């Protein structure tokens, strides 16, 4: 099984003939078809978590397909607004909302916020009063279950995202007249590939969330379930079926009795449309292992080093040669720069390219581009079959001072 379609492989081959540097390619035609399917239902309102991939052309495609936008910094906000998107369609989540950032968001016209602490509530209320307006607020909840009980969330280690129910329970919403408390937000799992498991997680949250909103004294009109929908990173992995998810979400929505169900998707929205093309520098044998050294590493595609999960890779050249296992290493002078182990043709050489798939989310902007002063990768898109370079490769003198 291949993560590359034949037209995608041909396109990548043409691009590889024109350069000797690593680059990203995003298939916007595939993206549009995928997103159109996601928004063809009326169960869940979909936001795009911009951190997954903030490239202008990606944001424009999500806009076209009916997504609104979840941003976590002034930089992400400005990038969304620069694509001509109305600030009313922006939601702000994130653990660090300084007074200055809140003011910037209000000045730009953002009116919907996920509050993650008592200070954020107070500062949002203060800024809203000064601007003489009302903000729509969701409180972010972090649930934990006692160790002894069956823990539906699996790992439930403490994070800085939101507050526990007991910590929210002391909030007196009457003290914040400029805020409309519209609902709750909860998101504390990642890359989930099982609909029954997700449905079980969501179901387990209903009672604590209902009880919290009752305790605080507002109707749970909106429930935001965050992201966390997974994509396969290896050929043998299962895949989520969107219709099954929508059915599970409809059940949750009904059980909660809320007016609106929201999700902010990152990986599941854009992950499968990105490729990272990487030239082979050489192969060598070392203590009985086959090592493949490639031109781009975690400076361009960091995620394997922080999650210990490789992006799937295959050889661009189609061949009948026998395969053998290779350990693939990038160019950085640190053992961290490892992109995974793959079964690849035994005649790989310095004219070859590896193509990493499933790189549309958490690719370039999650990386560490400055370490070792290599080039930054270019970013290409293909739309209606036409390839455009959105960002050129840059050499290190572009950022060195
Ligand atoms: C990162 C993030 C998401 C997107 O997560 P995915 O797992 O990529 O879908 C959604 N909501 C919030 C608040 C996030 O921080």
């Amino acid at each position: 099984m291949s993560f590359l379609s034949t037209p995608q492989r041909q396109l990548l081959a043409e691009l590889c003939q024109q350069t000797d540097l690593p680059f990203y390619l995003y298939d916007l035609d595939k993206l549009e078809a995928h997103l159109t399917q996601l928004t063809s239902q009326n169960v869940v309102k979909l936001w795009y978590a911009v951190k997954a991939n903030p490239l202008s052309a990606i944001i424009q495609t999500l806009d076209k397909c009916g997504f609104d936008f979840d941003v976590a910094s002034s930089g992400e906000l400005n990038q969304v607004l620069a694509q001509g998107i109305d600030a009313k369609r922006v939601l702000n989540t994130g653990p660090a909302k300084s007074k200055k950032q809140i003011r910037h968001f209000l000045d730009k016209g953002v009116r919907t916020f996920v509050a993650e602490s008592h200070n954020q509530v107070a500062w949002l209320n203060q800024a809203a009063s000064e601007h003489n307006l009302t903000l729509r607020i969701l409180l972010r909840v972090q649930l934990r279950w006692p160790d002894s009980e069956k823990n539906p969330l699996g790992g439930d280690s403490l994070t800085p995202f939101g507050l526990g129910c007991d910590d929210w329970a002391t909030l007196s919403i009457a003290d914040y007249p400029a805020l409309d408390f519209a609902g709750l937000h909860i998101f504390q799992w990642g890359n989930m590939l099982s609909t029954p498991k997700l449905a079980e997680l969501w179901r387990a949250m209903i009672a604590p969330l209902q009880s919290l909103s009752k305790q605080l004294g507002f109707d749970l009109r909106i429930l935001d379930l965050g992201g966390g929908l997974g994509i396969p990173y290896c050929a043998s992995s299962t895949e989520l079926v969107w219709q099954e998810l929508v059915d599970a979400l409809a059940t949750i929505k009904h059980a909660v009795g809320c007016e609106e169900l929201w999700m902010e998707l990152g990986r599941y929205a854009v992950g499968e449309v990105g490729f990272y093309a990487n030239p082979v520098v050489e192969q060598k044998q070392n203590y009985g292992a086959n090592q493949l050294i490639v031109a781009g590493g975690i400076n361009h595609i960091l995620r394997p080093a922080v999650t210990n999960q490789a992006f799937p890779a295959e050889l661009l050249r189609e061949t009948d040669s026998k395969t053998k296992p290779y350990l693939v290493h990038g160019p950085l002078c640190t053992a961290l720069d490892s992109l995974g182990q793959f079964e690849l043709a035994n005649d790989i050489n310095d004219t070859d390219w590896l193509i990493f798939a499933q790189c549309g989310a958490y690719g370039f902007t999650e990386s560490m581009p400055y370490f070792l002063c290599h080039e930054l990768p270019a970013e290409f898109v293909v739309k209606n079959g036409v390839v455009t370079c959105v960002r050129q490769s840059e050499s290190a003198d572009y950022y060195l001072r």
Side-chain angles (χ1 to χ4, degrees):
M1 183 228 155
S2 172
F3 282 95
L4 275 177
S5 71
T6 303
Q8 285 167 341
R9 190 182 290 274
Q10 278 164 359
L11 242 158
L12 283 159
E14 284 165 30
L15 284 168
C16 290
Q17 273 168 13
Q18 295 161 32
T19 181
D20 56 1
L21 294 171
F23 62 88
Y24 278 91
L25 171 70
Y26 309 109
D27 185 339
L28 299 185
D29 297 323
K30 183 175 167 190
L31 179 61
E32 188 173 332
H34 175 57
L35 298 177
T36 302
Q37 190 206 357
L38 301 191
T39 48
S40 300
Q41 43 77 31
N42 51 20
V43 172
V44 58
K45 171 179 171 57
L46 295 175
W47 307 75
Y48 174 52
V50 172
K51 76 166 188 272
N53 188 333
L55 192 74
S56 52
I58 295 275
I59 292 175
Q60 288 159 15
T61 308
L62 280 131
D63 175 29
K64 183 178 173 191
C65 295
F67 275 68
D68 284 349
F69 295 87
D70 171 38
V71 305
S73 68
S74 294
E76 286 186 354
L77 173 62
N78 296 348
Q79 173 72 342
V80 168
L81 298 181
Q83 312 316 315
I85 290 154
D86 192 313
K88 299 280 179 315
R89 292 173 52 205
V90 173
L91 164 70
N92 178 209
T93 63
K97 297 184 187 71
S98 64
K99 293 176 194 166
K100 182 177 165 206
Q101 184 181 303
I102 290 170
R103 242 178 281 124
H104 177 73
F105 273 62
L106 292 201
D107 287 343
K108 294 288 181 185
V110 178
R111 299 292 178 259
T112 307
F113 293 83
V114 172
E116 311 215 9
S117 69
H118 288 269
N119 279 325
Q120 286 188 9
V121 171
W123 296 347
L124 285 161
N125 184 70
Q126 170 89 35
S129 314
E130 284 165 16
H131 282 70
N132 205 12
L133 42 86
T134 306
L135 302 178
R136 183 164 58 161
I137 302 294
L138 275 64
L139 300 178
R140 184 161 185 178
V141 180
Q142 186 176 143
L143 291 180
R144 302 179 87 179
W145 273 262
D147 285 343
S148 52
E149 287 178 29
K150 183 166 173 279
N151 176 6
L153 293 177
D156 67 345
S157 52
L158 183 65
T159 72
F161 310 119
L163 292 174
C165 290
D166 291 350
D167 301 287
W168 275 129
T170 58
L171 187 78
S172 165
I173 63 169
D175 296 344
Y176 306 102
L179 304 183
D180 169 24
F181 292 89
L184 298 174
H185 175 287
I186 180 158
F187 171 37
Q188 48 192 87
W189 49 86
N191 200 26
M192 300 279 298
L193 285 164
S194 155
T195 300
K197 174 91 186 161
L198 275 162
E200 186 194 334
L201 285 173
W202 292 330
R203 207 170 25 246
M205 294 167 350
I206 298 176
L209 296 182
Q210 280 178 329
S211 128
L212 177 63
S213 67
K214 200 166 166 204
Q215 210 173 348
L216 291 176
F218 65 85
D219 287 339
L220 191 49
R221 281 174 282 149
I222 300 171
L223 175 59
D224 184 336
L225 296 170
L229 306 187
I231 59 171
Y233 286 106
C234 66
S236 60
S237 171
T238 55
E239 276 184 75
L240 290 171
V241 178
W242 177 241
Q243 190 52 50
E244 289 174 12
L245 277 165
V246 171
D247 293 345
L249 288 166
T251 306
I252 297 296
K253 190 176 181 181
H254 182 73
V256 174
C258 54
E259 291 165 17
E260 292 183 39
L261 203 56
W262 293 359
M263 291 189 90
E264 315 107 26
L265 301 183
R267 190 189 319 274
Y268 192 69
V270 300
E272 298 191 294
V273 306
F275 301 95
Y276 173 64
N278 200 347
V280 172
V281 176
E282 67 158 322
Q283 66 157 303
K284 64 183 180 186
Q285 276 57 52
N286 202 352
Y287 281 98
N290 309 303
Q291 295 179 315
L292 198 65
I293 312 298
V294 289
I298 60 175
N299 50 331
H300 294 172
I301 187 156
L302 177 69
R303 192 176 172 274
V306 290
T307 62
N308 215 6
Q309 181 174 50
F311 287 101
E314 43 196 287
L315 187 61
L316 177 64
R317 170 172 55 95
E318 288 179 290
T319 166
D320 293 330
S321 309
K322 280 213 169 63
T323 64
K324 60 184 187 183
Y326 288 92
L327 295 163
V328 177
H329 298 277
L332 305 187
C333 302
T334 162
L336 285 174
D337 195 5
S338 164
L339 298 182
Q341 175 167 338
F342 306 96
E343 195 61 39
L344 297 163
N346 63 7
D347 60 351
I348 289 190
N349 60 72
D350 60 359
T351 64
D352 275 319
W353 288 73
L354 288 192
I355 305 297
F356 292 78
Q358 310 294 76
C359 298
Y362 307 119
F364 174 56
T365 62
E366 195 187 279
S367 298
M368 41 189 286
Y370 302 135
F371 197 39
L372 272 285
C373 305
H374 290 283
E375 292 85 357
L376 304 189
E379 291 185 292
F380 293 90
V381 296
V382 56
K383 185 177 173 181
N384 301 326
V386 179
V387 174
T388 313
C389 180
V390 180
R391 200 163 53 77
Q392 290 187 329
S393 174
E394 300 282 357
S395 63
D397 48 16
Y398 156 80
Y399 57 85
L400 286 174
R401 297 291 177 268

